[in-house]
Amino acid sequence: MEKKRYIVGLGEALWDVLPEGKKLGGAPANFAYHAGQFGLDTIAISALGEDDLAEETIEALKEHNLNYLMPRVPYPTGTVQVTLAEGGIPTYEIKEGVAWDNIPYTDEMAEIAKNARAVCFGSLAQRNGVSRENIRKFLADTPVDCLKICDINLRQQFYSKEILEDSFKLCNILKINDEELVVVNRMFGYDGLDMRQTCEKMVQDYGLKMLVLTCGTNGSYVFTDDGLTSFQDTPKVEVADTVGAGDSFTGSFCACILNGKPVQVAHKTAVAVSAFVCTQNGAMPIVPETVKGN
C-alpha cells in the first residue's frame, strides 16, 4: 500500500490563554487544520508533557479531526498568555522549558518526513537546541519535491540572526510580515533597499521558489523565482481577533499550490480565508466553501 504523503505542521504545540479562556494554538496545528480544509492529508507534529493539559490537547485535536504525532516528554505542555490590544491584536508571553522545546525525532517522524509533500516550520520552535536539531533532521529527510515553508515568527527574544539565516537556507518558500522584514533588513544589512528590493534579493540570495510578504491592512505580496509578483488587497472585515490568521493564510496558500492552482489564485484564496478567520474567535473555525473558492 502506498504511504500517505502528509502536509506537516512542525513545531510548537501550545495553548493560547486568552481573556475568554484557553484555546489550542501553535502554528503547526493551525497550519495543518487549514491545509486540511482543502481535502489534503495533514498532520501536526510536536511534543506534549505528561500532564492534564496534554490530555486536553489530544481531545482538542480530535475535536478538530486533526491527525497528530506528539510524543510525551518530561516537560510541561506549552502555554502562552495572550492579551488582546485594541483591534484584536494579540501580544504573547510564551512560557519556556516546555514540551515543544524538546521535540524528539522518532522513527515514526522519520517515516512521515520521507513521504512529506510539504512541511511548515518556524523560528520560534527552534529557540531550544533539542527541537532545533530535530526539526532540521526532519527537513533533511524530506523528498526533493517537498515544499519546505518557513513562516518566521519573531516572538519576544526567541530568535537570532543564525537561526533565521539557517531557516532561510532550509526552506524553499519563505513567509514573512512587514514588521519582521524591517528586523531582517536591519539584521542582514539590507538597509537602503525598499521592501520589494529586499524581498527580490532574498529570493535570489537563498534560492527560494517564493517569498510571501504580508502587510496587515496594507495587503500582501508573493514574489516568485521567475519574477512574478502577485498583490492582493486585504479585505475590510469586522475583526473578532487575529489569532491564527497568519497560519490560516499559510495553510490555505500551501494547499492551493499543492492542488495545482496558479500563484495568483492561491494568493487570493489565502487572503480570503485569513480575512474570514479574523472575523471568528479562535484560530480554527470551519471555513465556508464560498470563502475557499470551491
Side-chain angles (χ1 to χ4, degrees):
M1 196 174 80
E2 199 181 342
K3 294 269 185 200
K4 266 191 183 175
R5 296 203 66 194
Y6 282 109
I7 287 83
V8 181
L10 175 62
E12 63 276 15
L14 46 82
W15 286 82
D16 291 320
V17 184
L18 296 144
E20 73 272 15
K22 66 181 190 300
K23 289 196 169 78
L24 181 65
N30 295 342
F31 167 83
Y33 174 78
H34 285 286
Q37 292 203 79
F38 288 82
L40 300 175
D41 291 316
T42 63
I43 190 165
I45 296 181
S46 187
L48 298 174
E50 294 160 341
D51 50 21
D52 291 344
L53 207 48
E55 299 299 337
E56 287 187 55
T57 307
I58 288 164
E59 282 307 308
L61 292 165
K62 285 177 178 171
E63 209 176 289
H64 288 97
N65 295 316
L66 256 174
N67 291 311
Y68 62 90
L69 180 53
M70 299 189 182
R72 301 296 183 93
V73 292
Y75 297 88
T77 299
T79 54
V80 179
Q81 196 68 43
V82 183
T83 46
L84 298 177
E86 201 179 332
I89 307 298
T91 54
Y92 305 90
E93 187 207 330
I94 304 164
K95 304 297 180 199
E96 294 186 68
V98 292
W100 62 261
D101 284 317
N102 297 279
I103 302 169
Y105 192 49
T106 64
D107 291 346
E108 209 176 339
M109 284 182 198
E111 201 54 43
I112 290 169
K114 279 184 220 147
N115 296 286
R117 288 186 73 194
V119 55
C120 183
F121 68 102
S123 48
L124 178 59
Q126 297 181 68
R127 67 180 181 177
N128 185 49
V130 175
S131 288
R132 182 162 65 246
E133 186 183 330
N134 289 328
I135 285 168
R136 293 176 186 191
K137 281 181 184 170
F138 188 99
L139 292 167
D141 282 346
T142 57
V144 177
D145 67 348
C146 180
L147 286 185
K148 295 190 280 275
I149 304 155
C150 177
D151 189 351
I152 74 168
N153 32 12
L154 306 186
R155 301 275 189 255
Q156 293 169 225
Q157 74 282 11
F158 302 129
Y159 60 92
S160 66
K161 183 179 179 184
E162 184 190 3
I163 286 173
L164 293 182
E165 186 155 39
D166 287 346
S167 297
F168 299 160
K169 289 173 181 170
L170 288 165
C171 71
N172 46 37
I173 298 179
L174 175 64
K175 179 165 170 278
I176 190 167
N177 68 34
D178 50 351
E179 290 175 7
E180 291 162 344
L181 193 69
V182 170
V183 175
V184 167
N185 233 340
R186 197 169 54 237
M187 208 181 249
F188 286 80
Y190 291 139
D191 296 337
L193 299 182
D194 66 24
M195 206 169 61
R196 175 187 289 267
Q197 288 170 328
T198 299
C199 291
E200 288 172 346
K201 182 159 174 52
M202 289 180 78
V203 168
Q204 202 172 18
D205 287 356
Y206 296 102
L208 303 173
K209 289 183 198 291
M210 294 177 226
L211 185 149
V212 179
L213 172 68
T214 58
C215 304
T217 55
N218 296 318
S220 56
Y221 300 81
V222 180
F223 300 92
T224 71
D225 58 355
D226 56 6
L228 172 79
T229 303
S230 172
F231 173 77
Q232 288 285 329
D233 280 313
T234 302
K236 289 178 173 54
V237 294
E238 190 75 37
V239 175
D241 70 53
T242 61
V243 178
D247 301 325
S248 73
F249 183 114
T250 316
S252 306
F253 183 78
C254 171
C256 289
I257 293 293
L258 290 173
N259 282 336
K261 304 290 186 195
V263 168
Q264 293 97 325
V265 174
H267 186 190
K268 188 176 181 180
T269 303
V271 168
V273 171
S274 178
F276 172 78
V277 171
C278 287
T279 68
Q280 308 295 302
N281 282 310
M284 297 187 202
I286 294 169
V287 179
E289 294 298 313
T290 49
V291 175
K292 292 188 282 187
N294 291 353

